[in-house]
Amino acid sequence: MPRAQTPLPGQIGRGPASKIVAKRRSRGVGGRSAKPLENVNFWKNGRSGRIRTCDPCVPNAVLYRAEPHSDKRPAYSVGLGAPQAAGLRNFIPVKTGLETLILPAGQAAAEAAARTLGTGGLVAFPTETVYGLGADAANATAIAHLYAAKGRPAFNPLIAHVADLAGAQAIGRFDARALKLAEAFWPGPLTLVVPKTEGCPVADLATAGLDTVAIRIPAHPVAEAILRAFGGAVVAPSANISGHVSPTLAAHVASDLAGRIDLIVDGGPVEVGVESTILGCFDTPMLLRPGGLSRERIEAVLGAALARPPVDAGSDDSQPLAPGMLASHYAPRASVRLDAQDVAPGEALLAFGPARLPGLDAASAVMNLSPSGDLDEAAANLFGHLRSLDAGAPRAIAVMRIPEQDLGEAINDRLRRAAVAR
Ligand code: TXA
Ligand code: MG
């Protein structure tokens, strides 16, 4: 685990950090504050604004976002140490200022992406689930930059994306059951966690030192073209700042990561809208994260019920089973109220289905995930609608009840994370 003074990989930038420290000290409010910082009156480059923590439940890496009053571009910083104990002495500014190229999908973009990946660069590209931020899976330095660009806690392992089964078997060992699942659902929104092969080229940094590797073949022509042009495995978490909702449009990626990555390949809106389902191919197959492929469909192929992970998986910081389960992984700025039966004045409503809730007329904004109550449509709209409602800075976002079946399991999982008190 990184210690308080140790920069995350790729994040070095003493000047602004020490200025902040000096200024803070001179005000007599030292770095010993026990609370996350808010309403701080300065930021690097002399901006003023509010600083809020975005990822408060990750023990050793806290992302701060400075929201300037006067300047439209927010700034980010990663503080290391427990969120409750974070002080400005822990601040390490994230390197920004890269020129981010945005290319429309096509052969030229696929080739540019492959070249960029090959030289250790970072490329955002669409998959059928959400946009991913890709780096060469075998290049530890590139992966360090990827963690830095996302402000992501370094213990969180990544999914290796490959173009075909041969690519998957070069990095992971597939027993008969894993092979059956791969054949049934790949390409598609299923990630399989399997033991690494001998000599697996995926960098240890990408697997967080585990002896397993998470693999998937995405079902998206743009992702496939990039993976084929590149030739090797590409690790890709969702292309958002850690703690923000996952991107379903290239514009979402740009709003989080422009200036921090090399290239965004714009392939239009994604189809599924929630991340892949993650299945641990352990002795007992285990659903590590509900996602774009429903539990029911996997169980039908396995002919058996899937085990659930231990209830507290991911709630401590020691090698969680699937750290994506960290309680507040997805976080709009507004607080989120689930299972709403009514709307309070000033709340925004995230609706589902045709019902009209009491108080609807006083809502600050209303978006419907699926007026007809279709769960696939709701999944595709989930992150985009959350972002849109959040952008209006409502008092809170009230969310109507979503049934816990099919993709509803993944939707409710994401909504529960978004609702974790921050
Ligand atoms: O749909 C998706 O899966 C998207 C697109 C871009 O492919 N990717 C994505 O990646 O959601 P990310 O990094 O946000 O989530 C990866 C999840 C994390 O929860 C991580 O802990 C888990 O995969 N994971 C990766 N390797 C693992 C391993 N060896 N064992 C258990 N969990 C693992
Ligand atoms: Mg993610």
Side-chain angles (χ1 to χ4, degrees), residues 69-355:
H69 299 308
S70 54
D71 181 324
K72 293 212 166 54
R73 291 191 59 183
Y76 295 91
S77 180
V78 175
L80 298 172
Q84 317 81 278
L88 284 173
R89 73 200 145 91
N90 296 328
F91 269 49
I92 295 153
V94 171
K95 203 167 61 183
T96 56
L98 266 180
E99 190 144 330
T100 303
L101 193 63
I102 304 182
L103 292 176
Q107 191 55 34
E111 282 163 17
R115 270 196 311 277
T116 305
L117 291 166
T119 53
L122 303 179
V123 178
F125 60 90
T127 79
E128 79 281 34
T129 55
V130 297
Y131 272 75
L133 177 60
D136 177 357
N139 182 338
T141 309
I143 295 161
H145 288 149
L146 188 154
Y147 285 124
K150 276 191 64 111
R152 177 173 199 157
F155 54 72
N156 214 353
L158 304 171
I159 297 171
H161 297 66
V162 291
D164 50 35
L165 192 58
Q169 287 178 312
I171 58 177
R173 294 207 310 270
F174 287 69
D175 61 12
R177 204 177 40 198
L179 214 48
K180 191 171 170 189
L181 289 167
E183 278 161 2
F185 296 117
W186 280 353
L190 173 67
T191 294
L192 296 174
V193 175
V194 297
K196 283 177 174 170
T197 52
E198 283 286 322
C200 171
V202 176
D204 280 341
L205 186 57
T207 56
L210 300 172
D211 49 19
T212 53
V213 58
I215 310 175
R216 85 179 190 97
I217 304 180
H220 194 292
V222 175
E224 190 192 347
I226 292 172
L227 291 169
R228 289 212 184 278
F230 178 61
V234 171
V235 285
S238 51
N240 54 279
I241 295 277
S242 185
H244 287 193
V245 293
S246 295
T248 54
L249 287 175
H252 297 158
V253 179
S255 88
D256 266 20
L257 296 175
R260 297 160 153 256
I261 65 175
D262 299 282
L263 174 63
I264 300 172
V265 179
D266 185 350
V270 302
E271 203 178 297
V272 178
V274 289
E275 299 89 339
S276 61
T277 300
I278 303 181
L279 190 76
C281 298
F282 310 138
D283 291 340
T284 314
M286 194 174 278
L287 183 70
L288 296 176
R289 176 177 77 182
L293 180 70
S294 70
R295 161 200 294 275
E296 289 85 344
R297 292 193 53 203
I298 299 170
E299 289 176 341
V301 167
L302 284 177
L306 284 177
R308 284 175 190 274
V311 182
D312 63 348
S315 66
D316 76 28
D317 59 344
S318 56
Q319 296 283 337
L321 261 181
M325 302 176 131
L326 283 168
S328 97
H329 192 64
Y330 298 89
R333 275 182 264 180
S335 61
V336 173
R337 184 166 73 83
L338 300 179
D339 295 330
Q341 314 276 356
D342 55 15
V343 190
E347 278 187 333
L349 177 68
L350 187 63
F352 175 79

